[in-house]
Amino acid sequence: DAGVTQSPTHLIKTRGQQVTLRCSPKSGHDTVSWYQQALGQGPQFIFQYYEEEERQRGNFPDRFSGHQFPNYSSELNVNALLLGDSALYLCASSLASPQETQYFGPGTRLLVL
Amino acid sequence: DQQVKQNSPSLSVQEGRISILNCDYTNSMFDYFLWYKKYPAEGPTFLISISSIKDKNEDGRFTVFLNKSAKHLSLHIVPSQPGDSAVYFCAASEGTSGTYKYIFGTGTRLKVLA
């Protein structure tokens, strides 16, 4: 049973560029959440997707957008990259209920130069 | 405003002894709490959770205690093993409010000495 998978594992971009990160949820899960983890910090919630819609959003600018596909996989897009966007981006999958545990993937490490 | 706080950035414990990791929160609406363990270059791994209707939950060597009046939870690991060396994050959510996001603390690095 595959857990949450993410691609790519690492990425280097320059300021102003755009990036797309991908996530496949754990088998049986229909909900995907994205988190940003800066160095020395805990993960911060970006948004959650359920039934192909953004269900909840954290305090991140509109440069951060996402998508969920009918097979429940998801993408995170970041436009106009800033140096401060350098971080580990984590995808978590779960069932739809608020108290269902979220299970994390290995993350994508993004470096913006 | 840090709603979930882990005030000890690091902790060292001898193998076989008890490890106690602490977490404080400020939001009284939080009703679901979790602990995750994170190794370098990996995503957080779920360890154990507790609902606010309970004050203790146990799973093998791991026990989580919740003190709602003090807005404090702790994770006990007994006995500690070298493989437990990792960064531990506590997280909280307001599940019954229909909120799905987890709020994480900044983590505590546990080192178990052989």
Side-chain angles (χ1 to χ4, degrees):
Chain A
D1 176 25
V4 180
T5 60
Q6 292 186 243
S7 64
T9 54
H10 294 84
L11 206 48
I12 299 176
K13 291 285 188 180
T14 56
R15 278 179 299 174
Q17 285 190 311
Q18 178 263 345
V19 69
T20 297
L21 311 181
R22 295 176 176 82
C23 171
S24 290
K26 185 177 164 68
S27 178
H29 285 178
D30 56 7
T31 301
V32 173
S33 303
W34 287 92
Y35 290 80
Q36 179 195 68
Q37 186 178 15
L39 210 57
Q41 301 296 315
Q44 288 204 345
F45 178 79
I46 302 175
F47 42 53
Q48 185 181 85
Y49 275 83
Y50 170 66
E51 291 189 338
E52 302 179 50
E53 300 260 337
E54 183 184 291
R55 178 156 73 170
Q56 188 173 13
R57 190 178 184 91
N59 294 328
F60 280 81
D62 292 345
R63 299 187 296 109
F64 289 77
S65 63
H67 189 78
Q68 185 179 35
F69 299 94
N71 67 352
Y72 308 121
S73 67
S74 177
E75 287 180 350
L76 164 66
N77 300 293
V78 188
N79 294 323
L81 284 167
L82 303 174
L83 297 180
D85 294 331
S86 295
L88 179 68
Y89 288 85
L90 295 161
C91 168
S93 75
S94 62
L95 294 173
S97 169
Q99 288 206 350
E100 290 291 338
T101 299
Q102 296 179 18
Y103 293 87
F104 285 83
T108 294
R109 185 158 297 281
L110 172 66
L111 178 61
V112 183
L113 300 175
Chain B
D1 177 27
Q2 191 74 22
Q3 296 185 69
V4 177
K5 298 177 186 177
Q6 293 177 257
N7 291 319
S8 298
S10 63
L11 175 68
S12 290
V13 171
Q14 283 295 131
E15 181 179 7
R17 306 295 291 267
I18 183 171
S19 294
I20 300 176
L21 296 99
N22 294 304
C23 180
D24 296 297
Y25 61 95
T26 56
N27 186 346
S28 58
M29 297 296 291
F30 286 148
D31 56 12
Y32 188 56
F33 304 88
L34 310 94
W35 284 94
Y36 286 86
K37 175 171 75 173
K38 189 177 185 301
Y39 294 118
E42 294 184 13
T45 301
F46 169 70
L47 272 178
I48 192 168
S49 62
I50 188 167
S51 166
S52 60
I53 61 173
K54 294 185 173 182
D55 54 20
K56 178 182 171 181
N57 190 25
E58 200 169 345
D59 184 0
R61 296 186 298 115
F62 302 92
T63 303
V64 56
F65 295 92
L66 175 62
N67 182 334
K68 288 185 289 293
S69 61
K71 294 192 180 69
H72 177 83
L73 67 155
S74 60
L75 174 68
H76 293 209
I77 306 174
V78 184
S80 301
Q81 299 173 353
D84 296 330
S85 297
V87 178
Y88 289 77
F89 292 96
C90 68
S93 74
E94 299 177 36
T96 51
S97 302
T99 300
Y100 304 96
K101 66 180 180 182
Y102 288 175
I103 307 294
F104 283 83
T106 51
T108 295
R109 182 177 300 278
L110 173 66
K111 191 170 189 178
V112 179
L113 307 169

